[in-house]
Amino acid sequence: MHALSLLSLAQQMPGMSPESVAFSLFNHRLAGLLVVLLGVLGVVDASASGKREWLKLLWPMPLIVLGIYLLLRSDAPAWPPHIVEQMSNAEGVQHKIFAVLVLSLGGIDLLRRSGRLTHPIWNYLFYAVMLVAGIFLLFHGGHHSALVRNEHAAMGVVAIAIVVAKVMADRKRTARWLAVGVVPSLFILLGVQLLLYTE
């Protein structure tokens, strides 16, 4: 994005420098790429059931990478990251909570898929964490404009639709079209929303 555009955006959002705006856009685009990858891996995962068991371990990896990245660098481009400083305002705390939710999703699913978490309660916990993350997006907007709040709300709606489709796909094993088509497509849609995010 052009420097003048960044400066204009920063002026519309008090307390945000052009560098902060650029970093926020970068983070949303990185998240978008990883979520699109989730959708692609979802198709691979659903299509390869019963073959090449190691493929099922790939799906949670983008979530784990995104969760770790956001935990360290959600709000400041400085390195090494100063997590306490990043949590100096409500929005920073929200970003860290979201990072923990994403990392929990990836971790729970990886352990489920590897056979280490076999009790059915872990399935419900996975769905619950997905639902909380979706609801979280519905109301996340911080000090931003109405446009940004609306973008997050739209992402939240898609995230909640993913939860509903995922629960239905997992419970109705015969409805492969949900697992192969609908769930991955919704992930890709969420990824595209993140890639097109603007402030």
Side-chain angles (χ1 to χ4, degrees):
M1 188 177 267
H2 192 273
L4 288 176
S5 301
L6 289 175
L7 183 58
S8 170
L9 285 169
Q11 288 168 346
Q12 293 170 26
M13 294 177 287
M16 287 195 76
S17 66
E19 293 80 14
S20 295
V21 173
F23 190 64
S24 174
L25 293 174
F26 170 79
N27 282 348
H28 282 85
R29 299 213 178 10
L30 176 64
L33 288 173
L34 289 170
V35 173
V36 167
L37 180 59
L38 275 176
V40 172
L41 289 174
V43 174
V44 171
D45 180 53
S47 304
S49 56
K51 324 169 207 170
R52 297 185 185 144
E53 286 297 306
W54 60 271
L55 281 174
K56 69 182 182 182
L57 301 178
L58 292 179
W59 189 85
M61 293 306 170
L63 288 170
I64 292 169
V65 169
L66 180 60
I68 291 170
Y69 175 82
L70 291 176
L71 203 56
L72 295 174
R73 305 202 64 198
S74 60
D75 290 280
W79 188 265
H82 302 287
I83 294 174
V84 174
E85 184 183 310
Q86 292 177 31
M87 295 176 66
S88 61
N89 58 58
E91 189 175 11
V93 172
Q94 289 176 19
H95 288 155
K96 295 308 177 204
I97 291 169
F98 192 71
V100 169
L101 289 172
V102 171
L103 190 54
S104 298
L105 277 174
I108 290 168
D109 202 50
L110 180 63
L111 292 172
R112 284 190 324 158
R113 288 165 179 261
S114 64
R116 294 198 174 106
L117 299 178
T118 56
H119 195 281
I121 194 72
W122 290 105
N123 295 337
Y124 296 110
L125 183 59
F126 179 79
Y127 302 140
V129 174
M130 281 182 79
L131 183 60
V132 169
I135 293 169
F136 188 88
L137 279 172
L138 277 178
F139 299 103
H140 177 61
H143 59 270
H144 295 291
S145 64
L147 170 66
V148 171
R149 286 192 292 275
N150 290 340
E151 287 178 303
H152 281 100
M155 290 177 209
V157 168
V158 174
I160 291 168
I162 291 171
V163 180
V164 172
K166 179 93 172 107
V167 170
M168 289 174 62
D170 289 351
R171 292 185 64 85
K172 298 183 177 181
R173 300 282 180 188
T174 52
R176 280 184 45 80
W177 59 274
L178 283 167
V180 177
V182 176
V183 174
S185 296
L186 287 170
F187 271 111
I188 290 169
L189 175 58
L190 180 58
V192 169
Q193 287 177 307
L194 285 159
L195 287 169
L196 296 177
Y197 173 84
T198 187
E199 295 195 356

